[in-house]
Amino acid sequence: GENVEQHPSTLSVQEGDSAVIKCTYSDSASNYFPWYKQELGKRPQLIIDIRSNVGEKKDQRIAVTLNKTAKHFSLHITETQPEDSAVYFCAASRGNTGFQKLVFGTGTRLLVSP
Amino acid sequence: GAGVSQTPSNKVTEKGKYVELRCDPISGHTALYWYRQSLGQGPEFLIYFQGTGAADDSGLPNDRFFAVRPEGSVSTLKIQRTERGDSAVYLCASSRSAGGTGELFFGEGSRLTVL
């Protein structure tokens, strides 16, 4: 089955710096890669996703890149703000099987210091 | 409701007891998922419903775990003879359709503690 590895496990940056979180996956049939943000004690919330027919996607300060050949994808956050502090999870699934059996990474705790 | 609703938010039980966790998905969402999140880990897939039927229950850890969705809306996750290792946050999610393009909307979770 699919295995998703994520690193780093923790990331501390100064406000205004960029943050990069990287994930690798094992199943070459995976074609859908979402990123979720989870604040302490709260629900995971989708912040951006990318499908395998696209190499990069941007949404304001957030971008995701996908390298299908290498089977890795990354989340980039620019101009970080204290409210970006949270745990970020990457995930992968074979979306075209009819449902999203997401396999999640182990998470990255991002701390943005003012 | 506006979002996925889960009850109870917290449940403390003793080893060997029976537990039910309830999920009320977003109105109109046909797909419903249960995930389990242990401390410091990402959510792990348990079971998926499309309508009333369990389309994939391959993530259920053993036969002590069972889930139903009798009317295609509210779902109940049932855990028999609970063990300390069952302690985790149980997350429910729903999406508009079964297709692979639908965003999953998660609930706040039910935190289960087995003493």
Side-chain angles (χ1 to χ4, degrees), chain A residues 32 36 38 41-46 49 51 89 93-107, chain B residues 3-4 33 35 37 40-45 48 56 58-59 91 98-104 106-108 111:
Chain A
Y32 176 65
Y36 283 82
Q38 187 174 31
K42 301 295 185 182
R43 70 190 75 198
Q45 291 189 297
L46 179 71
D49 58 13
R51 291 177 175 82
F89 292 98
S93 79
R94 296 182 178 191
N96 61 0
T97 59
F99 76 102
Q100 291 200 52
K101 185 176 179 177
L102 292 176
V103 177
F104 284 84
T106 51
Chain B
V4 177
Y33 307 78
Y35 282 80
Q37 186 173 25
Q41 299 296 314
E44 291 181 273
F45 171 81
Y48 155 74
D56 187 313
S58 62
L91 293 166
T101 58
E103 175 182 351
L104 292 193
F106 282 90
E108 295 277 357
R111 180 177 298 277

Side-chain angles (χ1 to χ4, degrees), chain A residues 74-114:
Chain A
S74 301
L75 178 70
H76 305 253
I77 307 174
T78 58
E79 300 171 31
T80 53
Q81 302 168 2
E83 50 265 39
D84 294 330
S85 297
V87 179
Y88 291 79
F89 292 98
C90 62
S93 79
R94 296 182 178 191
N96 61 0
T97 59
F99 76 102
Q100 291 200 52
K101 185 176 179 177
L102 292 176
V103 177
F104 284 84
T106 51
T108 296
R109 183 174 300 279
L110 175 64
L111 176 62
V112 181
S113 302

Side-chain angles (χ1 to χ4, degrees), chain A residues 33-78:
Chain A
F33 308 92
W35 286 87
Y36 283 82
K37 176 182 180 182
Q38 187 174 31
E39 297 177 3
L40 188 62
K42 301 295 185 182
R43 70 190 75 198
Q45 291 189 297
L46 179 71
I47 55 171
I48 196 168
D49 58 13
I50 192 167
R51 291 177 175 82
S52 59
N53 57 345
V54 176
E56 182 175 0
K57 183 177 178 181
K58 290 187 71 173
D59 183 2
Q60 299 182 11
R61 297 185 296 109
I62 294 172
V64 58
T65 58
L66 170 65
N67 183 328
K68 283 207 71 182
T69 302
K71 289 190 280 190
H72 65 70
F73 56 113
S74 301
L75 178 70
H76 305 253
I77 307 174
T78 58

Side-chain angles (χ1 to χ4, degrees), chain B residues 78-102:
Chain B
K78 307 180 181 192
I79 311 173
Q80 299 178 319
R81 305 183 303 281
T82 52
E83 299 178 355
R84 293 192 179 87
D86 299 336
S87 297
V89 175
Y90 290 81
L91 293 166
C92 178
S94 69
S95 68
R96 190 177 305 279
S97 69
T101 58

